[in-house]
Amino acid sequence: MPPASASSSSRSPPISGARTTYRLRVSDVSKIVCHRLQNSTEEYLVRWKIAGGSTANKSTIYSWHCVSELSKCLHYVQEYIEKLPKSRPNTAFVAIPAGASRKRKFSSDSQAIGSSSSSGNLTPRDWGHVSREPSVISLGSSSSTTSEAAPLQTPTVYNGILQRKEGRIVAKKSDDPAIQRVDARKLPDQSMLKDATQAPVTAAEQAIQAAFQAKLRSVKNTEWENHVDNTAPSLNFTFISDFVLGKGVYRSDADAHVGCENPCRPNMGQNLGCEYPRECACLEYAAVDKDLLKEGDVARYTQYIEDRKTDGFLADSRGLPKRFPYRVSKDRIVPSTLMKFYLEQRYPIYECNLNCDCGPVCKSRVVQKGRKVPLVIFKTSNGRGWGVYCKEHLVKGEFIDTYIGEVLTNEETNRREELAGKDNKASYLYSLDKFCGDDPNNELTKDTCYVVDGQHMGGPTRFINHSCEPNCQQYTVSYNKHDLRIYDLAFFAVQDIPPQTELTFDYMDQDEQELEDVPRKREAKAADPAYRDKQRCDCGARKCRWYLWE
């Protein structure tokens, strides 16, 4: 029998003089607007949300805070730093290799970052020697506790006071005449902006890097690196492992999926599961294999081709031989690859599901087992932001990973596009429109299909860049042949890809154009006023279309 846990009375008492780090809540912060170096410590000017919290309100509260106090709001600091001039003083670049362990903790209670050493690197400093300002008080404490000297760095405050309560810092309005009042509409003032041009952001950059590394720990087989500058991928991003369904979005439960039954068995096909292309129920809507047609199939196949004109991918093909999606090697070390037909024709891929009788090793189960290859999110050196490469060699037809995010209704997608700007948002949106026009009830259209938004929630593939000559393509993969609204978006290699080669796909998903046609089409676009304000493409491919969105 395991020993009973220690009672509260037997626990060690708190260490006398232990320090508590007070932090700002994300919900209280409106924006970071400036920074400075105060007593060798980086501080950032926070605009609070209370009392309007806008540039139009002259009484908005502002206050200065060190990096440790902003550990829950680092994405605001990141947004501020990214808008600063690229050339900054006292900013030593430190390359971050893939798999690097950021041992320094910036979100803990243990330390803050302080003075600069002779090498330009920031060193820890004892906050016990920093005096407190009278505008910061403790809540829920006795007067004797409030009057004690506490080793908490407290910022300058404008138009209000700051209070410490239950580990957090809150801003309050006050009528105290001692409060420093300014016209908040003029903040930051010219003096602050001048100081900001000379102040480093090293401590904040290191904290942001550590915070992103912490986020990435939840994602298996994924690393990140930066050999270009001191930035990190956006902290305003959450790694998830599956679709997150938004309001008004519905998906059938996995146990309701129709699976294949007799004759499919786990021990068929050299213990690779489904073997009969005419009878596997999961292949009901899969592509017909013309090479396996028999003389008696001709009339049935002719009718099927005619039905495709009206019923699309859902045309009745029962009894006809179907194409299994993957080629499986006898050597289990060699990855399964997508059959040439599917790779070239982009036909929907149907995999077996949890309710099938074919067993977990069935050759029709690839994407559902998840990513197997190691990916690295890296900073590109050609100004294209963040990209992704694989650490291992990828063979043509090999599965890489899926694109996931929030699944939204078309109405919610339109609302987000209006807020962010259509071109700014388009890079992260995927319409689940593969089966539009195939719905027998005519309810699934371009205006009613769901959309995947991977901007703020998703996986590593969210960072894959565009190319007009991509080495990857996305494919429709379904585990529920009757669900036309939600399916997986899977990336496969369309050519052999050497290790550490950037992975790319075509955001417009267009057919590849002939090289000799490229100059003529470019000239036509350059002369067309409709392209004047369109976003330029920076992929650098020989067949680059010049514009990202047509």
Side-chain angles (χ1 to χ4, degrees), residues 306-328:
E306 187 65 25
D307 292 343
R308 279 289 307 273
K309 297 177 182 178
T310 55
D311 298 337
F313 294 118
L314 302 187
D316 185 4
S317 60
R318 286 175 294 180
L320 294 175
K322 309 298 172 52
R323 295 180 183 270
F324 282 105
Y326 306 113
R327 177 182 292 105
V328 181

Side-chain angles (χ1 to χ4, degrees), residues 190-207:
Q190 291 302 313
S191 176
M192 294 175 181
L193 293 174
K194 182 179 179 181
D195 290 343
T197 62
Q198 300 301 316
V201 293
T202 310
E205 287 177 333
Q206 292 177 341

Side-chain angles (χ1 to χ4, degrees), residues 6-290:
S7 65
S8 59
S9 59
S10 64
R11 292 172 183 164
S12 301
I15 299 174
S16 178
R19 292 177 293 179
T20 300
T21 298
Y22 292 83
R23 300 180 175 89
L24 281 69
R25 296 183 303 184
V26 175
S27 58
D28 291 335
V29 176
S30 173
K31 192 176 183 179
I32 304 294
V33 299
C34 197
H35 78 291
R36 68 184 183 184
L37 193 64
Q38 182 78 356
N39 296 326
S40 300
T41 302
E42 287 177 29
E43 293 184 344
Y44 292 81
L45 185 58
V46 173
R47 179 197 300 156
W48 290 78
K49 282 186 178 179
I50 67 168
S54 69
T55 56
N57 192 328
K58 67 178 182 180
S59 61
T60 295
I61 298 177
Y62 284 76
S63 56
W64 293 96
H65 296 271
C66 64
V67 173
S68 61
E69 293 173 344
L70 297 171
S71 61
K72 295 183 178 180
C73 316
L74 285 174
H75 65 283
Y76 284 117
V77 181
Q78 185 180 41
E79 291 172 1
Y80 165 75
I81 292 175
E82 288 178 348
K83 295 178 181 178
L84 295 176
K86 299 301 179 184
S87 177
R88 302 215 33 89
N90 302 323
T91 303
F93 165 63
V94 180
I96 302 172
S101 174
R102 308 296 302 182
K103 294 185 181 300
R104 229 169 160 178
K105 295 182 180 179
F106 295 92
S107 59
S108 70
D109 295 341
S110 61
Q111 67 171 16
I113 302 301
S115 58
S116 292
S117 67
S118 58
S119 65
N121 295 324
L122 294 179
T123 57
R125 172 160 90 85
D126 183 2
W127 294 117
H129 298 298
V130 180
S131 61
R132 295 182 301 150
E133 293 200 10
S135 56
V136 179
I137 63 175
S138 296
L139 295 182
S141 303
S142 64
S143 58
S144 60
T145 304
T146 305
S147 62
E148 285 183 5
L152 169 69
Q153 183 200 20
T154 56
T156 302
V157 189
Y158 308 99
N159 301 330
I161 62 172
L162 298 182
Q163 297 177 329
R164 301 180 297 180
K165 181 181 181 180
E166 298 175 351
R168 58 189 174 91
I169 299 173
V170 296
K172 299 280 187 178
K173 286 291 184 180
S174 174
D175 296 327
D176 190 335
I179 289 175
Q180 185 174 358
R181 300 188 186 278
V182 298
D183 186 345
R185 295 172 297 182
K186 298 179 180 180
L187 293 181
D189 60 29
Q190 291 302 313
S191 176
M192 294 175 181
L193 293 174
K194 182 179 179 181
D195 290 343
T197 62
Q198 300 301 316
V201 293
T202 310
E205 287 177 333
Q206 292 177 341
I208 291 166
Q209 292 165 3
F212 184 78
Q213 180 65 27
K215 280 178 172 282
L216 202 59
R217 291 194 188 105
S218 64
V219 187
K220 68 175 184 179
N221 219 5
T222 306
E223 303 168 2
W224 77 287
E225 67 180 20
N226 186 350
H227 296 281
V228 178
D229 55 31
N230 289 330
T231 62
S234 174
L235 293 180
N236 194 19
F237 180 78
T238 301
F239 285 101
I240 55 178
S241 58
D242 198 0
F243 286 140
V244 173
L245 305 187
K247 183 178 180 181
V249 175
Y250 304 96
R251 185 180 195 179
S252 61
D253 294 332
D255 56 8
H257 297 179
V258 176
C260 57
E261 300 174 343
N262 187 50
C264 297
R265 291 290 182 271
N267 59 354
M268 295 190 331
Q270 296 179 332
N271 293 319
L272 291 177
C274 300
E275 185 179 19
Y276 297 103
R278 292 176 181 268
E279 300 179 60
C280 179
C282 291
L283 297 180
E284 180 178 355
Y285 300 125
V288 173
D289 191 343
K290 293 190 296 182

Side-chain angles (χ1 to χ4, degrees), residues 513-528 531 542-547:
Q513 56 187 343
E514 296 298 329
L515 186 59
E516 56 268 22
D517 295 335
V518 172
R520 175 180 54 81
K521 293 183 178 181
R522 286 177 178 173
E523 291 175 3
K525 292 175 182 177
D528 189 347
Y531 284 88
R542 295 178 308 158
K543 299 180 181 179
C544 179
R545 298 189 293 266
W546 275 15
Y547 295 93

Side-chain angles (χ1 to χ4, degrees), residues 350-375:
Y350 294 94
E351 292 194 0
C352 291
N353 58 59
L354 295 175
N355 297 323
C356 292
D357 289 345
C358 54
V361 298
C362 175
K363 60 179 176 287
S364 289
R365 301 176 187 268
V366 173
V367 173
Q368 63 190 261
K369 293 183 178 180
R371 172 166 58 90
K372 306 298 183 183
V373 298
L375 298 181

